[in-house]
Amino acid sequence: MARSTGPRDRAKKSGLYWHLFRPHPSILSRLFAPMATGPTPSLSKENVNTTIPTHLTLTVDSLTSHPPFLRPPLPLRSCPTTHHHPLGQSPMDAAVAGQHARRRIRPPEPLVMGGSPSTPAAFRCPISLEVMRSPVSLPTGATYDRASIQRWLDTGHRTCPATRLPLASTDLVPNLLLRRLIHLHAATLPPSPSPEEVLSQLAAADGEPAAAEKAVRSLAAKIAPEKGKRASVASAVAADLDSAVPALLSFAKGGAGADARVDAVRILATVAPELIPYLTGEGTEKRGKVRMAVEALAAVLSADGVGEDTKEGLIAGLVAGDLGHIVTTLIAAGANGVVVLEAILTSPLPDADAKTAIADRSELFPDLVLILKDAASPAAIRCMAAAVQVRGRPARSAMVRAGAVPALALAVAAAPTAVAESALGLLVEAARCTDGKAAIGADAAEVAAAVMGRMIRVGPAGREAAVAVLWLACCAGGGDRRMREAVASAPEAVGKMLVVMQGDCSPSTSRMAGELLRVVRMEQERKGLAAAYDSRTIHVMPY
């Protein structure tokens, strides 16, 4: 009976014995050391010849190659040899084996971030990807910057961001060794440029987005709270406002990367109070500076990346100055000035007298209507709404007299959803006064078409506002006949009313929609427009 062969025997037959069952190089060195006549050999990737007695010679080509007596025979080739090996190995064989070994062994890659080749990745926080300033470790062993992981924990998370493992404890242990290594590494880096030098680079980077973005990010890093260089950056920008502010504004409007554009606005916020005196400037030579200052203030007050305390301080500075002159300048400045006015009217800082003085300006609503007609500005609509909330009925009448109803109807029909919902809310305010109902009746066809066409293409708040506008114009106080006829003639008016009634609306909205439905049916029957619920939404049944 033939003896069964194991893996070792099969490896010997196939020539793979040395690869599968080779001894460690240290064992070989200890094995042949007593027989060596020379010094103890050292094994490395290069060819190492161990001198032993002539009756037993071994050549070790590399740590990953096999000895010559187990190597598969190489094809015959003609090559000059300068040294004869007793077991038949030539220098060419050793070179080929060394090449194979170098292909198989790769040196370890340095732990370096691709974006910053001089900073090891271990020095960066896994959350913010910035160099850690106060590294702390969680019970899972992962290390983060203290500010980043504290924000993570403050939002209610109880897991490790890197490992996703639950945290048995939220204690943060300072990683003193890593902090020391980061400090040593920072000492080897070249000194960072001053804010003045960075501003010069930003001004010279016109047409080079990459260079401009690098300069903006460098300035943004300096104004971080932990850096303590906010005052130096502000003084550097304030020293050359006429060139630094336009460069930052240009990048904030068209720079590469949303984060970098927010950084540019944050830098502008450091010098925004210095721009307030520009609003009281007079003369044609200062018009350019006034426009620059208003644009910068609007960018700061409308940015989400600027802190509320910074915005409140800026509004306080605006109110504390010559408010009358400032409001006149902002009204004449167009859309950017409206953004600043809206921030003042909606802020809790100014007192009622200051807000009333702004809302009572005779030129406020006419200019807002012009801006609204030109660009359907959301800020213009919010500014109107804030003025109406401050002054009530007088502001509603002033808004209607300025011609706001046609402009709002146009915004409802063509503007984005959020702007359309705000415009519907203002139409509700206009319909609450007698002048507003008359203005809506005068433009009944346009208003009815805009409101009915957008009724089911807005959110719940927008649908309720649309129903309220139509109810106030058609039903409240007897309503307006022109508006009732226009609503009855709108396409699918009945079906849309039924959709609103069966939707998720308040009881008052459902009641108003039911009354509108009866008014529309009566008007349709009177004019012979429909004998039943003839619409493409006939399958929608009322309650």
Side-chain angles (χ1 to χ4, degrees), residues 48 300 439 476:
V48 179
V300 172

Side-chain angles (χ1 to χ4, degrees), residues 212-382:
E213 182 178 0
K214 181 179 178 181
V216 168
R217 289 191 178 277
S218 177
L219 287 173
K222 294 179 184 296
I223 65 174
E226 58 271 12
K227 282 286 188 177
K229 297 182 179 180
R230 184 183 181 92
S232 62
V233 173
S235 61
V237 177
D240 194 9
L241 285 175
D242 296 342
S243 62
V245 172
L248 290 170
L249 281 174
S250 176
F251 186 85
K253 290 187 293 185
D259 294 340
R261 292 197 295 269
V262 173
D263 289 339
V265 177
R266 290 174 50 232
I267 298 169
L268 284 173
T270 62
V271 295
E274 304 291 336
L275 300 173
I276 296 177
Y278 283 25
L279 302 183
T280 58
E282 297 179 355
T284 56
E285 69 280 359
K286 293 187 177 181
R287 289 179 182 175
K289 294 183 179 181
V290 170
R291 187 163 49 249
M292 173 197 71
V294 173
E295 187 176 357
L297 293 175
V300 172
L301 291 173
S302 61
D304 295 333
V306 179
E308 292 298 326
D309 53 345
T310 302
K311 295 181 181 180
E312 291 178 358
L314 184 56
I315 292 174
L318 289 168
V319 176
D322 186 359
L323 187 59
H325 199 162
I326 289 175
V327 171
T328 302
T329 303
L330 293 176
I331 292 175
N336 289 321
V338 170
V339 173
V340 181
L341 280 176
E342 184 257 335
I344 296 175
L345 289 172
T346 57
S347 173
L349 287 180
D351 55 12
D353 294 337
K355 292 183 178 181
T356 301
I358 296 175
D360 285 342
R361 297 295 291 261
S362 60
E363 69 273 22
L364 177 64
F365 285 105
D367 288 346
L368 291 177
V369 170
L370 289 176
I371 296 171
L372 183 58
K373 288 180 178 179
D374 290 340
S377 171
I381 295 177
R382 291 194 298 267

Side-chain angles (χ1 to χ4, degrees), residues 28-50:
L28 289 177
S29 62
R30 289 198 299 268
L31 177 64
F32 294 106
M35 297 182 290
T37 58
T40 303
S42 60
L43 299 179
S44 63
K45 289 185 179 180
E46 293 76 21
N47 297 338
V48 179
N49 294 331
T50 304

Side-chain angles (χ1 to χ4, degrees), residues 125 173 189 240 269 280 310 352 381 391 419 476 528:
C125 175
V173 180
L189 297 177
D240 194 9
T280 58
T310 302
I381 295 177
R391 289 294 289 148
V419 180

Side-chain angles (χ1 to χ4, degrees), residues 415-442:
T417 302
V419 180
E421 290 181 352
S422 301
L424 284 170
L426 270 182
L427 281 177
V428 172
E429 296 295 334
R432 294 184 186 278
C433 64
T434 305
D435 295 340
K437 287 183 180 180
I440 292 175

